[in-house]
Amino acid sequence: MKYYTIAPPEILKPFVRFFWVLEHELSAREPEYVYRSIADSCTEMVFHYRAGFDEITEQGEQNSDPSGIQFQTDTYRRFITRESFGIFGAYIYPFAVPRLFNIPSSQTTNLALDYDTFLGCAGRELEERIILAQDNQERAGILSDFLLMRLRHNVKTDDRIITSIRQVIHSKQHQTVAQLADTFNLSVRQFDRRFKEYAGFSPKIYLRLVRLQNAIQQYNNHKTLTQIALECGYYDQSHFIHDVKVFTGYHPSFYFSGRAEGTEYRNANG
């Protein structure tokens, strides 16, 4: 399995965290691959340029190639393919959604839409160009140009809230909602409402999602689950277990074992 990231151009860095690539060759010993996407505090644009995936639901396999946009979500999904595959994606800050797509993030939470449904002709053309590109550097260039054209510079934004979301995502400090609101001179009620508009979730839920991502970054760091939980700001082991189970579908002991679906890419070399 091969996984690596590509940095966006400087002008897009306030909106796009990175582009990413996941490729894998199946074999007779591995006739199928199941991928699990977990809860995430950011939005992803995903393009399947080699082979497609079917989603696995409670009703069984569904014939639906998941190329499209998955907005910030507090749930997990499962997909399966029986072919060698290549996927190109963009990892986008939630507060970039209004600037790029002219819709509040609060209206997109947990939505997963194909490009035709979400963007119409422009989406279909973008998907075709990405799929037919010669390599992933070209794909990064095509998507960068597309996102730059969609940036709306006249959209009014609340820079305090955007700064607070960045702080939650990138800071390792474990602050409460009240502390964050106080930092930006807002009441808890005001902060909660404005934060949800830009992040898609209330700050309380968003803090939980980011805490999970921070815990996942401790994967393979030779730390115990208790150490991971404490370092990532969980009050106790039970809260840690609960959030991992809700957001990934697995008990932490299995999710961090290296055997869970959707974790193989962390061991892949770029």
Side-chain angles (χ1 to χ4, degrees), residues 6 28 71 77 88 107 128 141 151 199 205 219 223 237 241 260:
I6 301 172
F71 294 94
R77 300 168 69 194
F88 177 82
Q107 295 181 20
E128 182 176 359
L151 270 180
I205 295 176
Y219 178 81
K223 295 179 180 178
Q237 193 81 351
I241 292 171

Side-chain angles (χ1 to χ4, degrees), residues 197-217:
E197 181 180 343
Y198 285 89
F201 289 105
S202 70
K204 184 176 181 180
I205 295 176
Y206 204 81
L207 284 166
R208 289 173 58 200
L209 289 170
V210 172
R211 191 181 299 132
L212 171 71
Q213 296 297 324
N214 290 339
I216 290 172
Q217 290 176 12

Side-chain angles (χ1 to χ4, degrees), residues 164-211:
S164 72
I165 296 172
R166 286 187 179 280
Q167 182 173 318
V168 169
I169 291 174
H170 295 293
S171 173
K172 301 302 180 182
Q173 298 177 353
H174 309 304
Q175 293 182 289
T176 65
V177 176
Q179 288 172 329
L180 284 168
D182 185 62
T183 299
F184 297 96
N185 298 313
L186 292 169
S187 69
V188 171
R189 185 175 180 179
Q190 289 174 317
F191 183 73
D192 191 285
R193 177 176 57 82
R194 297 293 288 162
F195 191 98
K196 186 173 183 179
E197 181 180 343
Y198 285 89
F201 289 105
S202 70
K204 184 176 181 180
I205 295 176
Y206 204 81
L207 284 166
R208 289 173 58 200
L209 289 170
V210 172
R211 191 181 299 132

